[in-house]
Structure formats: C-alpha cells, structure tokens
Amino acid sequence: MSSVAVLTQESFAEHRSGLVPQQIKVATLNSEEENDPPTYKDAFPPLPEKAACLESAQEPAGAWSNKIRPIKASVITQVFHVPLEERKYKDMNQFGEGEQAKICLEIMQRTGAHLELSLAKDQGLSIMVSGKLDAVMKARKDIVARLQTQASATVPIPKEHHRFVIGKNGEKLQDLELKTATKIQIPRPDDPSNQIKITGTKEGIEKARHEVLLISAEQDKRAVERLEVEKAFHPFIAGPYNRLVGEIMQETGTRINIPPPSVNRTEIVFTGEKEQLAQAVARIKKIYEEKKKKTTTIAVEVKKSQHKYVIGPKGNSLQEILERTGVSVEIPPSDSISETVILRGEPEKLGQALTEVYAKANSFTVSSVSAPSWLHRFIIGKKGQNLAKITQQMPKVHIEFTEGEDKITLEGPTEDVNVAQEQIEGMVKDLINRMDYVEINIDHKFHRHLIGKSGANINRIKDQYKVSVRIPPDSEKSNLIRIEGDPQGVQQAKRELLELASRMENERTKDLIIEQRFHRTIIGQKGERIREIRDKFPEVIINFPDPAQKSDIVQLRGPKNEVEKCTKYMQKMVADLVENSYSISVPIFKQFHKNIIGKGGANIKKIREESNTKIDLPAENSNSETIIITGKRANCEAARSRILSIQKDLANIAEVEVSIPAKLHNSLIGTKGRLIRSIMEECGGVHIHFPVEGSGSDTVVIRGPSSDVEKAKKQLLHLAEEKQTKSFTVDIRAKPEYHKFLIGKGGGKIRKVRDSTGARIIFPAAEDKDQDLITIIGKEDAVREAQKELEALIQNLENVVEDYMLVDPKHHRHFVIRRGQVLREIAEEYGGVMVSFPRSGTQSDKVTLKGAKDCVEAAKKRIQEIIEDLEAQVTVECAIPQKFHRSVMGPKGSRIQQITRDYNVQIKFPDREENPVHSVEPSIQENGDEAGEGREAKETDPGSPRRCDIIIISGRKEKCEAAKEALEALVPVTIEVEVPFDLHRYIIGQKGSGIRKMMDEFEVNIHVPAPELQSDTIAITGLAANLDRAKAGLLDRVKELQAEQEDRALRSFKLSVTVDPKYHPKIIGRKGAVITQIRLEHEVNIQFPDKDDGNQPQDQITITGYEKNTEAARDAILKIVGELEQMVSEDVPLDHRVHARIIGARGKAIRKIMDEFKVDIRFPQSGAPDPNCVTVTGLPENVEEAIDHILNLEEEYAPDMSSSEEFPSFGAQVAPKTLPWGPKR
C-alpha cells in the first residue's frame, strides 16, 4: 500500500485521466453541482448528501449518473473531501512526506484499506479509500478523527432512552459511530446528566445528532403502565395455559407482564404504543371487574401429601381444571402446614371443579412394603435389573428405598401401586427363603489384611462361596463385618473370615535392627535374595524401610513361631555379612599392580576365588597405591599375604618387623597420619604397616627397597625412643610458597636442620586444610633449636629484596614461552621469587628478581645454570619413519613427555606429509637465489631420510644422545604369527572385543588379514619388550579355541528316536517342564518335528549332544513312552454345572486332584456335542480312583447348584429352609 500526494496541475490531470475510465462508487461530504465544462468538478463530480452511506445511495447525481451501475462487489472505493479550513495539517512543504503521510500509513496498516491523497485547487484534501466495506468505514472514521479538525456538540436525551441509543452489547452505538465518523459519549448510569456528547466534523455531528434524536422520538411514542390486580384473579386474566393474555398481547401489540404465582406481587405491567396499550389495559380491567362480581369461593381440606397430585406436573392439573370449569384452584405454599385448598369461580361451576380436585387428589396413592434393609440391594438387583422389570411395566410408579429402614415406599396410580406392591412382596418372600445374612465382629485393624492386596482375599471368598461381604471403611473405625447370600455360603465365609482373624490375632510384629548398608545385599539383585527368604517363610511379611529414611529397622510380621524362625535366619545372614565385610588396605608399589592382575586378570581372579574375597585395585590413572581387600578376616589376611609375596618376588623388596609398644602407635602415626607419612616420603616411599587398633600387637612392618627400609627403621625407632622419653611439639607458620625453599632440592635443607638439631619437622600434605602449619617434634631443646633455625630462615624469606642479572636477549624466549612455564617453576621452587624479563622488542639484557634474599640468590644461580645448558645445547636428528611417530608419542604424548623430563631435552616432531611417497623435490631456494643460479641444483639422495621422518632433539650433547636411544627403542617392531584362518573370527570376537582386549593387555597392535585373502598370518606390531608376551598370549588363545572346536564336534552328535506323535505333548509336559528337565539333566538339545512341515517325519525326535548324553536322554524319553503306553483313557458323564466347582479358582482344585491321583483330566470345551463328558487318562488303577473321587464331588456339589448365582431369579419354586429366618446375632 502507498500514499500518493499530487502537488501540480499536471499531476492532477494524470490522476484524473486514470480515474475517468473506471467505474467506481465515490462518496463525498460536500455536495455542490457545477455544470461549466471543463472544470475540476466535472472530473470529480460529488454525490448528493444521502449518498455518503453506500446502502442509501439510490439516485447518483450529476455526471456520475451515466457511469455508475449497481454492482455488488466485495471491494469498494470511496472518496472523502476535507476542506482547507478543516484540515489539521496545512503546511504545504510537508505534504506527502510529513506527519500527514505517517498518519495515512498507520491507518492503512491498522484497517487494511488502501489510501490515496490528492490536493484540490481550493487546497482541500481529497482522500480515495479502497477496500472491503468494513475496512473503508473504519479508515473513514480514522481519517476524520486524525486529519480533520474536530468539533463537539451535546444533545439532551431523556435518561431512560440512553439504553436504546447504546443498543444490545453496545452494537447500535458502534454502528452509529462508524456510520457518522464521530465519537459519541453517553453518561454513566449513576451520572444524573442526560446530555450525550458528540465529537467529530460538523457534518458528522449533525448526522449523529439527527440519528440520536430519531431514536429518542421513537421511544417517546412507547408508554409503560402498571395495574394493581388482586393476586387471586391473575389466573383468570392469564387464562388456561396463558392463552387469554397471549391473545390480548397479539391483538394489541402490547407486552403484558403478569407476576408468576410464586412471586407475591399484585402489579401487572403493560409496555407498548400508547393507544394500543390503553386498549390492552381496558380489556384486562374489564375481565377483572367481571370476575370480581361473578365469582365466589369455597374452601376444602385436602391432605398435604395429595397437594402435588392436584397441582400436577408443572401445574398442568390446575390449568386443566381452569380450562374445563373456569374455576381457579389456590393451593397453599409447600412450606405452609395448611391443608386448605380454595376454589374460586362461578357458583354453578364450583361443584364440577370440586369433583375434579378430589379425583386428582385420589388418583395417586402411597403404599409401603416391609423388607429388611439388607435385602434392598438384592431386590434392586445387579445394576437395577430386578427393579427395572417393575418400572418398565408400570412407569408411573415411583419406588423409594430408604437406607437403614426396613421398608420400601411405593407411590403412583392406585392400580399400578397395588400390582407393584404384590410383585415386591413376592420378591421379599422369595429372598427370605433363599438368602441369609450374618454379622461378625473383627477388629478393624485386621480389615485391610482380610481384604488383601487389591482385594485378592475378599474377592476369592466372594467368588468361592457366592456371598457378598460388606467391610466398613477405615474412616468409620467399625468392627462389624456383614456377610449376605446363600445360607451355606454365608456360614462357610463366616468360618473362613473368623479363622483368618484368629490367625492374625496370633500374629506378632518384630523389629529387627540391621545396618542400612546391608539392606541392598539382603534384598539382592532385582529382589532375588529376599524372594528366597519370603518363599522359605511364606507366612511372614518382611518390610524394609525407605532408603531415604536412613533407618536400620526391618519389620517382620506373621505367626509367632514363623517370625521367630525368620528372625534367627536373618540374624545369621547379617552375622555372615558382617564377617564378610571385614576390609584391609594393602599398599603395593604402582609398577607391580599389573603383575598382581596378571595376564587377562588371571592372577587376581585366582587370588579372589581361592581366598573367597573381593579385591579392588585403584584406577590406572589414579595416584593411589592401595589395594583394598574385603571379606572374612582370615581370608583377607591370606589374600594380603599372597599379594605381598608377588611384590616381594618381583623386586628387591625387603620386609622388616619392628617392635614398638602399641601405646605409642597413635602418636607415631600423628594427626591424620601426617607424622608417619613424612617418614615414608623421606625414605623413598616405603610402606609402614601398623597392626589394627585394639589387637594388642607391638609389631610394625616396614616394606620397601632394602636401603630405604633400614633408613625408615632407624628413624622410626629413634622417634619411638623420643616419644617414650620425652616428646615435645611446636607449631610454626610459614607461607606455603616458602615450603619448597625451606625443604630444599631433594630435601637437602630440611635434612641439614634435622641432622644438626635431632628434631623431626613435618610439612603439611596437599590434602591438609591448614597449609601454613609446620610441626616440629622431638626433645624440647632439639625442638627449640630447630624452631629457632626455621624462624630465622622464614625471617630471611620475608625480608624482600630486589636484584638484577644480565641475560643475553637470545635466551629470553626460552624463559617466557609456554606462558612462562620455566619462570613459574622457578617461582614455585624458590619461595615465590618474582622474575621480570624486559618487554619483547627492546634489546635490554637486564632481568629483575624480587623476593627473599636467599630465594633471589638461589633463583639467580638456577637461571645461570639454565643459560649454561642453553649455550651448551646441541641439536641432534633422529630419523624414525613417519608412520611410527604416533606410536612413539604414546597416548596423549605421554612417552615423549616422560623422555623430555628424564633427559631434560626438547623434542620436536615434523609436520605430517599427506602423501608420504618418495618423489623428486623441486629445486630449493636459498637466500632468494634460484638453485640454478651460480650453482648446481642438489640431487635428492634416494637413500637419505625424508624431512617428515626427522625428529629434532635439543639439549646437552650427552642428554640428546641418550634421548635418541630412548626414542629409537620406542619404534614398534612387527612379527608374524601363523594362526589357522578359520579361528580368525573367534580371535576378533563379538564387535572386535576379543582382539581389543588382547591389544590393551599386551600394549601391541594386532592386524588380522581381510577374510577374502584367506591368509593364516596375523601381524603383531609393538615394542620389542611386549612382542614375546603378545605372541605367547595369542598362541594360548589359539590352543583354547582349538580345544573348543574339538569339544563342539563331540557335542554335535545326533541321535533320532521314533515316538508316536500322540505322546509328544506328554513328553514335552506342561509349559515344557518335562522336556526341559531332560535337557538340563543330560545337557542335550531335543528337537521335535514341525507340525506344519509335511515332508518331515512326524514321529522322529532328534537329540543333539555328547554321544553318551544323547543315549541317556533317549532312554529317559523311551521310559516315559513306556509308561504312557500302559495308560488308559476313560470318559465319565459329569453334570456340566459342577465343572466350575471341581476345576476351582484358576484350576487349583483340578490340579490338586491330578497330582494326587497321578492322572490327566480333560473337560469338554464350550460348544462340545456332549457338555457332560469328562476324559480321565492314566494308569488303570489311578483312573478308577480319580473317577470315583470326582463322582463323589458331583454328589456333594449337586445340592448347591440352585444357589450359585449372586442375584437369584424370582418366581422359581423353592423348598423353605428348615431353619426359621431371622437375623443371626
């Protein structure tokens, strides 16, 4: 959408020429006619005033009359004219680009209409608006409001007419505002003013004012009148079914409002045109006066309960009497106790009306049937079935059951009520003969256990005995349980519930204290272990606390004896767990961990199995050397001895036992082990093992290299002697950055203090919270002397000095590269001394050092040493083929980092060459000269190493040579091992797991040739030291696989057995139980023929496994067949109605019979020709016994067949019970 502003006469001509050929509906607010051709008004002829609204434009005037055709289009166009004096924006310089254009753009965006602006000769503004009618009207309103100067006027309108101006939901007001392009403000209802304010253009205000006055004038023609008429005469005015008042309203066009009978008002309201309203009022008055003269009243007494029958549904009976007799019947309100009914009408009609009132009152009757309340639900039936039969026959009869009352109330037409009463009395009599109930007292705390999980127990009792059991809700705290149904079933259910309750009363609840850490172990994975305990003690309920509660109490509930047995069993289990949870830590030097694990974990697995312990080793990337052993104490000690003996065999590890009194052990270990740790670190990382606290043993074991062990023994005994004589301790503080300097290189400085004073100085470990604390232990004089020396050293460190030294700028880079790593190391080692090198780019050689005097001197000395190393530095080339570089570097460059640390050298690897193929290199440029200028181009020597193979080593000459040897030792070597091709896939393993495991274990790379090559050669690449182990491991694996292949061949022996297909289901057994037992017992696979395969012999069973096992399995199958061949099948007629009772819930009863008599019993399927035929199969004597048993059961269950339904059918002849009916107490 765009806004067009035309400023010149030429532009107007263009605009005019564009509009003339188009047939457009145009509206304007100024109507002037000029007939002088050719003027501007000819090009834009205005319409008459009435044409402003599209719908009212009937006769277009002027030049438009020849051009417009009445076309109904969805898109319309209108032109609005704003005179110069009414324009808001009159500045000509801004036309088309100022505020006016912005406003037009906003209007277009908001309404969706298209606007075009043009300027008339008289400087008036023409706006052409195109779009849908609704959008054009909205845009017009906005144009008037925002581009035209606004005026306002007020119109006085009676307050009661305001709501007609607003209209329903304000729709009329909105429509008026759009139509006139004005804003109309109506005072609020609580405002007494009657002035309506109109804002807009002059024309718009006039138009709106006219419309508002028109609405008010229309309302002035209408009138409202109120007429007082006695309430008793309202029915005569309304007429039967309101017909009379309806006729008057239709004829006069007046709205008449008569208050309903429930509203105690006498005023009748008339609304309508004055003349017609007067006619309506006159007619109503006439009826009122006439009835007042002619009518009389009589009062009669009618039972309160019969009033509703006189009124009828929705008052229809009263209207019926009024229609037939012209008599109004007045009924007292329902909340009144009065029974007096007043009849009002003409005397001759009162008799007839009275007869009808009594007829209506007596047309309905209320009766009651005596029935015990517990029988009500049986009378109603399941889902109201029994009651529905009566209500369908007699729909007018209302039957009401009141809870807790022994009666049923019937209400309805007298004849129907009598019939229904007879039927219900018959039902009650029938049920009393058939049904019984009993109430029993059982403590409410046992109710939920009687119900069972998800109602399992109570549903079983209901189904089994065909009774209804009503247990009160927990909220009632009632002990009374009610059983209803067949008399025999009620007694059986009562007996079972009382037995259950008795058993629960004998129950005992016991709390067992078990540490929470053992709960998960007792429960077991997926609850396996606790399931075993519950199966062992099925009557005991075991409840574990929620893990979040951190509780140790396990609750046991069940019969007293069973709870006691379960308690002892669980206590024994916990005792075993406690015994097996003993744990000891064994420190083993890190380098020996892999030897303790052994090849493929063989060593550690063997130790675990033989000692029956759990052994946890620290992760490879962990700094911990401690192996944790868990299990029984004796087993842990045995495993510990085994692990220590492996370490002792592998290295020159000495073990010495030192006797130190047990009372000194804690003081020797020190707070959090600080003291003993300082001795172990000082003596080369020896392991010192103290006996368990409380054991009373004095033996302390020291383990490690011989020289270190002796040193540690000497220090430990010396310390123990000091502790025994007189031990004195002092703590001093020093900044952590000074500690390294105080200790000195290799512990030299601190050893000197210790040797001169005889005191032990302990520095904090990395995990200690207080990093400033240094502890001195020993005799008092020795401690004081050591304290004095250390404090002097610390004092010197705290006296900060600044010094400088000269360092050749060519060496500066070495100190500052890698973010100043060398400087950081110097600062850490020499008490945090600050070393400042000059900025890069300046040629200064002055280096500033700031810190403690001693630290500064030591740092200067160290910098000087580094410079000497740099000046003595040489570069050595080491040629190793590029393909081995990654292997030489090791994982994450670990091997190279180790070499650089060990030999203090720098190692630089060349950039990778993408195509490492020997090629003639192009002529090399040196110093900007072409190779051909003044000298011959060097020929590439085919035998010389490539640049991408050369590794540069920088450092002192002897160190570089040693590092070169170490690098060359890391170059992998390849050997080939012959392995039969058919074993390759087993060596690779599932998804490569087997070969990956071997490569990780032996730290080599194993290459298996592609399957299409059919090669028997496997290549192993790795360090020479690892290749022999890897080869031996691979050959061992080959032997294992070959042994497995031989075993597989022996296991694949097949044997076929011929067995009649009719015996197959019996051999398979229920859910495959029999055949699974044979398979597991003889370790064979047994395959039965496929029934759907016609080509396969159906009598052949195939057995696969070891030859002797298949033969044993065959014999077991033939034995079963032999037994089956001796069996007989007999059909026995058995009443189909007792089948369900004999089968029992989920087949439990029939399974018990089959197990007891060792027979198979088959019942007919639904739809069988003979539903009573039951087949019994088994050994002849067993079959006879089983048949006798089920026939006895049939006789036993036969009398109960008639009472098997929960809701009995009525009308059947039933012999009365021998016992008199009545509630059992």
PDB file of all heavy atoms in Angstrom, residues 948-959:
ATOM      1  N   CYS A 948      59.956 -35.439   6.655  1.00  0.00           N
ATOM      2  CA  CYS A 948      58.830 -35.770   7.534  1.00  0.00           C
ATOM      3  C   CYS A 948      59.165 -36.905   8.503  1.00  0.00           C
ATOM      4  O   CYS A 948      58.373 -37.225   9.383  1.00  0.00           O
ATOM      5  CB  CYS A 948      57.595 -36.119   6.715  1.00  0.00           C
ATOM      6  SG  CYS A 948      57.816 -37.558   5.658  1.00  0.00           S
ATOM      7  N   ASP A 949      60.356 -37.550   8.313  1.00  0.00           N
ATOM      8  CA  ASP A 949      60.742 -38.641   9.230  1.00  0.00           C
ATOM      9  C   ASP A 949      61.679 -38.159  10.332  1.00  0.00           C
ATOM     10  O   ASP A 949      61.929 -38.888  11.296  1.00  0.00           O
ATOM     11  CB  ASP A 949      61.470 -39.750   8.458  1.00  0.00           C
ATOM     12  CG  ASP A 949      60.562 -40.433   7.433  1.00  0.00           C
ATOM     13  OD1 ASP A 949      59.334 -40.311   7.597  1.00  0.00           O
ATOM     14  OD2 ASP A 949      61.067 -41.059   6.497  1.00  0.00           O
ATOM     15  N   ILE A 950      62.217 -36.925  10.191  1.00  0.00           N
ATOM     16  CA  ILE A 950      63.286 -36.483  11.100  1.00  0.00           C
ATOM     17  C   ILE A 950      62.704 -35.793  12.329  1.00  0.00           C
ATOM     18  O   ILE A 950      61.960 -34.825  12.232  1.00  0.00           O
ATOM     19  CB  ILE A 950      64.281 -35.542  10.362  1.00  0.00           C
ATOM     20  CG1 ILE A 950      65.024 -36.335   9.283  1.00  0.00           C
ATOM     21  CG2 ILE A 950      65.274 -34.932  11.347  1.00  0.00           C
ATOM     22  CD1 ILE A 950      65.786 -35.500   8.304  1.00  0.00           C
ATOM     23  N   ILE A 951      63.060 -36.325  13.522  1.00  0.00           N
ATOM     24  CA  ILE A 951      62.656 -35.752  14.812  1.00  0.00           C
ATOM     25  C   ILE A 951      63.859 -34.989  15.362  1.00  0.00           C
ATOM     26  O   ILE A 951      64.978 -35.513  15.385  1.00  0.00           O
ATOM     27  CB  ILE A 951      62.228 -36.869  15.792  1.00  0.00           C
ATOM     28  CG1 ILE A 951      61.032 -37.653  15.215  1.00  0.00           C
ATOM     29  CG2 ILE A 951      61.877 -36.292  17.157  1.00  0.00           C
ATOM     30  CD1 ILE A 951      60.739 -38.948  15.939  1.00  0.00           C
ATOM     31  N   ILE A 952      63.645 -33.737  15.760  1.00  0.00           N
ATOM     32  CA  ILE A 952      64.731 -32.870  16.256  1.00  0.00           C
ATOM     33  C   ILE A 952      64.780 -32.953  17.779  1.00  0.00           C
ATOM     34  O   ILE A 952      63.762 -32.713  18.447  1.00  0.00           O
ATOM     35  CB  ILE A 952      64.529 -31.400  15.813  1.00  0.00           C
ATOM     36  CG1 ILE A 952      64.283 -31.296  14.295  1.00  0.00           C
ATOM     37  CG2 ILE A 952      65.692 -30.533  16.255  1.00  0.00           C
ATOM     38  CD1 ILE A 952      65.460 -31.713  13.453  1.00  0.00           C
ATOM     39  N   ILE A 953      65.976 -33.249  18.344  1.00  0.00           N
ATOM     40  CA  ILE A 953      66.168 -33.295  19.805  1.00  0.00           C
ATOM     41  C   ILE A 953      67.159 -32.187  20.168  1.00  0.00           C
ATOM     42  O   ILE A 953      68.254 -32.114  19.589  1.00  0.00           O
ATOM     43  CB  ILE A 953      66.722 -34.663  20.263  1.00  0.00           C
ATOM     44  CG1 ILE A 953      65.862 -35.812  19.696  1.00  0.00           C
ATOM     45  CG2 ILE A 953      66.796 -34.747  21.782  1.00  0.00           C
ATOM     46  CD1 ILE A 953      66.472 -37.182  19.849  1.00  0.00           C
ATOM     47  N   SER A 954      66.776 -31.324  21.125  1.00  0.00           N
ATOM     48  CA  SER A 954      67.643 -30.213  21.548  1.00  0.00           C
ATOM     49  C   SER A 954      67.976 -30.371  23.026  1.00  0.00           C
ATOM     50  O   SER A 954      67.098 -30.672  23.840  1.00  0.00           O
ATOM     51  CB  SER A 954      66.941 -28.871  21.338  1.00  0.00           C
ATOM     52  OG  SER A 954      66.502 -28.771  20.003  1.00  0.00           O
ATOM     53  N   GLY A 955      69.248 -30.119  23.391  1.00  0.00           N
ATOM     54  CA  GLY A 955      69.682 -30.205  24.791  1.00  0.00           C
ATOM     55  C   GLY A 955      71.192 -30.415  24.855  1.00  0.00           C
ATOM     56  O   GLY A 955      71.897 -30.239  23.860  1.00  0.00           O
ATOM     57  N   ARG A 956      71.694 -30.754  26.026  1.00  0.00           N
ATOM     58  CA  ARG A 956      73.125 -31.066  26.134  1.00  0.00           C
ATOM     59  C   ARG A 956      73.413 -32.308  25.303  1.00  0.00           C
ATOM     60  O   ARG A 956      72.572 -33.201  25.210  1.00  0.00           O
ATOM     61  CB  ARG A 956      73.505 -31.315  27.598  1.00  0.00           C
ATOM     62  CG  ARG A 956      73.596 -30.020  28.406  1.00  0.00           C
ATOM     63  CD  ARG A 956      74.079 -30.301  29.810  1.00  0.00           C
ATOM     64  NE  ARG A 956      74.230 -29.064  30.556  1.00  0.00           N
ATOM     65  CZ  ARG A 956      75.375 -28.374  30.634  1.00  0.00           C
ATOM     66  NH1 ARG A 956      76.442 -28.802  29.996  1.00  0.00           N
ATOM     67  NH2 ARG A 956      75.444 -27.267  31.338  1.00  0.00           N
ATOM     68  N   LYS A 957      74.668 -32.378  24.779  1.00  0.00           N
ATOM     69  CA  LYS A 957      75.005 -33.424  23.805  1.00  0.00           C
ATOM     70  C   LYS A 957      74.745 -34.826  24.357  1.00  0.00           C
ATOM     71  O   LYS A 957      74.056 -35.651  23.745  1.00  0.00           O
ATOM     72  CB  LYS A 957      76.466 -33.287  23.372  1.00  0.00           C
ATOM     73  CG  LYS A 957      76.804 -34.199  22.197  1.00  0.00           C
ATOM     74  CD  LYS A 957      78.204 -33.968  21.688  1.00  0.00           C
ATOM     75  CE  LYS A 957      78.462 -34.896  20.497  1.00  0.00           C
ATOM     76  NZ  LYS A 957      79.817 -34.758  19.974  1.00  0.00           N
ATOM     77  N   GLU A 958      75.306 -35.082  25.581  1.00  0.00           N
ATOM     78  CA  GLU A 958      75.162 -36.437  26.144  1.00  0.00           C
ATOM     79  C   GLU A 958      73.693 -36.784  26.426  1.00  0.00           C
ATOM     80  O   GLU A 958      73.255 -37.914  26.248  1.00  0.00           O
ATOM     81  CB  GLU A 958      76.015 -36.603  27.417  1.00  0.00           C
ATOM     82  CG  GLU A 958      75.636 -35.711  28.591  1.00  0.00           C
ATOM     83  CD  GLU A 958      76.211 -34.289  28.523  1.00  0.00           C
ATOM     84  OE1 GLU A 958      76.764 -33.887  27.459  1.00  0.00           O
ATOM     85  OE2 GLU A 958      76.103 -33.581  29.534  1.00  0.00           O
ATOM     86  N   LYS A 959      72.904 -35.761  26.821  1.00  0.00           N
ATOM     87  CA  LYS A 959      71.483 -35.992  27.095  1.00  0.00           C
ATOM     88  C   LYS A 959      70.730 -36.267  25.800  1.00  0.00           C
ATOM     89  O   LYS A 959      69.829 -37.105  25.758  1.00  0.00           O
ATOM     90  CB  LYS A 959      70.850 -34.768  27.789  1.00  0.00           C
ATOM     91  CG  LYS A 959      71.454 -34.399  29.138  1.00  0.00           C
ATOM     92  CD  LYS A 959      70.848 -35.192  30.241  1.00  0.00           C
ATOM     93  CE  LYS A 959      71.329 -34.701  31.604  1.00  0.00           C
ATOM     94  NZ  LYS A 959      70.821 -35.575  32.684  1.00  0.00           N
TER      95      LYS A 959
END
